[in-house]
Amino acid sequence: MPNAHELHALKRLLKFSMLLQSDLITPDGICQVLGMGLFSNEVCENAIFEVSQESTCEATGSFGPHLGPRAKHLVFPLDQNSPVGAAIILEKTLWIASNKQLGAEFPEMISLPNFELIQTVIAVPIVLLGSVIGCLVIACKERESTPNQVAILELIVSFIATQFKRDRNSPAIKNSSKGTLRGLPLTDRERLIQEMMSKGLSNKECSINLGYSESTIRQDAVSMFAKLHVTNRKQAGALFSNS
């Protein structure tokens, strides 16, 4: 049975789905509706990112006191170690339940001006026709996830994806995250991980040697595989040995 917060979210989801039937709805409008109390009565910050032709994540809509309307300045490389990039590359929903966990798994986020105010971060990939074309990221006061909450969010982004399909000017229609990393240079950390893989080290051993969490190593490995166009550690290590 859904709890009170989940029932609240389901009611908002019904209104949200009806709102999306309007051709006048904008990405900012979507974010505003989602921000006005998704799981509770608390206002949350959120943004919609699209994958661009330049392999970047670009905010096309946002809502919240720290994000501001249409925060187009929020542009960063797809392979940057961030919840948005990781959700897109891994093609899975990430629920980061605390500020401490966010800093441990995504050290680059510590430099954000409002980092200390962040409690829970949720990043949900937006999928259209089998390809990840963007991401919905939410910062809110929720802590632990439930299967029902994750399912509701994934249903929400499926509605958002249909809105992308209507917007023919959206860069997400012409681009897919699949293959966008292929051929891009490895970061220094990814190169170190590739070298360790060539020596047979596991993610845990790489984590100990480099001083990063195993989750961060795993995300870097996924990014590295995409850039090298390989599917496993053995292939990545062989490429390093042959280079």
Side-chain angles (χ1 to χ4, degrees):
M1 282 288 294
N3 59 35
H5 286 345
E6 291 165 354
L7 286 173
H8 173 87
L10 285 171
K11 291 178 181 178
R12 292 194 62 81
L13 178 59
L14 178 59
K15 293 180 180 179
F16 178 67
S17 64
M18 296 174 65
L19 180 65
L20 284 182
Q21 301 305 310
S22 169
D23 290 331
L24 300 178
I25 190 66
T26 65
D28 280 338
I30 293 173
C31 290
Q32 183 174 358
V33 173
L34 294 179
M36 298 304 290
L38 183 61
F39 289 122
S40 65
N41 291 323
E42 296 288 344
V43 174
C44 69
E45 296 188 324
N46 62 92
I48 293 173
F49 287 85
E50 295 184 29
V51 178
S52 74
Q53 291 179 333
E54 293 76 27
S55 296
T56 61
C57 298
E58 178 178 351
T60 56
S62 63
F63 175 80
H66 298 290
L67 293 176
R70 299 202 64 79
K72 290 185 177 180
H73 61 283
L74 292 176
V75 180
F76 50 86
L78 180 59
D79 60 342
Q80 179 178 306
N81 190 31
S82 68
V84 171
I88 291 172
I89 293 170
L90 296 172
E91 301 186 7
K92 63 179 292 187
T93 297
L94 301 181
W95 192 296
I96 302 160
S98 68
N99 178 279
K100 183 178 179 180
Q101 182 186 353
L102 179 65
E105 296 191 9
F106 303 97
E108 289 86 346
M109 298 294 99
I110 296 176
S111 62
L112 290 175
N114 62 329
F115 176 78
E116 295 299 329
L117 302 177
I118 298 174
Q119 296 189 46
T120 294
V121 174
I122 311 163
V124 191
I126 301 172
V127 181
L128 179 65
L129 301 176
S131 295
V132 181
I133 59 172
C135 181
L136 170 67
V137 62
I138 300 170
C140 61
K141 291 189 177 181
E142 291 292 328
R143 289 302 181 97
E144 300 300 328
S145 65
T146 69
N148 285 340
Q149 288 173 328
V150 173
I152 290 169
L153 285 173
E154 291 177 348
L155 185 56
I156 285 172
V157 297
S158 70
F159 288 141
I160 294 174
T162 63
Q163 190 66 26
F164 277 135
K165 191 173 181 179
R166 291 183 184 183
D167 183 5
R168 297 190 178 185
N169 293 320
S170 168
I173 299 304
K174 301 177 181 179
N175 301 286
S176 162
S177 64
K178 293 183 177 180
T180 54
L181 293 181
R182 188 180 303 175
L184 291 181
L186 300 184
T187 64
D188 291 341
R189 192 165 68 204
E190 289 168 350
R191 177 63 67 179
L192 287 172
I193 294 171
Q194 185 191 18
E195 180 180 2
M196 292 179 183
M197 286 182 177
S198 72
K199 299 175 181 177
L201 272 67
S202 65
N203 282 350
K204 185 175 183 179
E205 290 168 327
C206 292
S207 169
I208 294 171
N209 281 321
L210 295 178
Y212 291 94
S213 70
E214 192 171 347
S215 174
T216 296
I217 299 299
R218 184 167 55 253
Q219 290 160 12
D220 278 350
V222 172
S223 172
M224 178 186 61
F225 292 167
K227 291 178 179 179
L228 298 175
H229 191 36
V230 299
T231 58
N232 57 58
R233 306 168 64 82
K234 185 175 180 180
Q235 291 174 350
L239 282 179
F240 182 89
S241 300
N242 294 332
S243 63

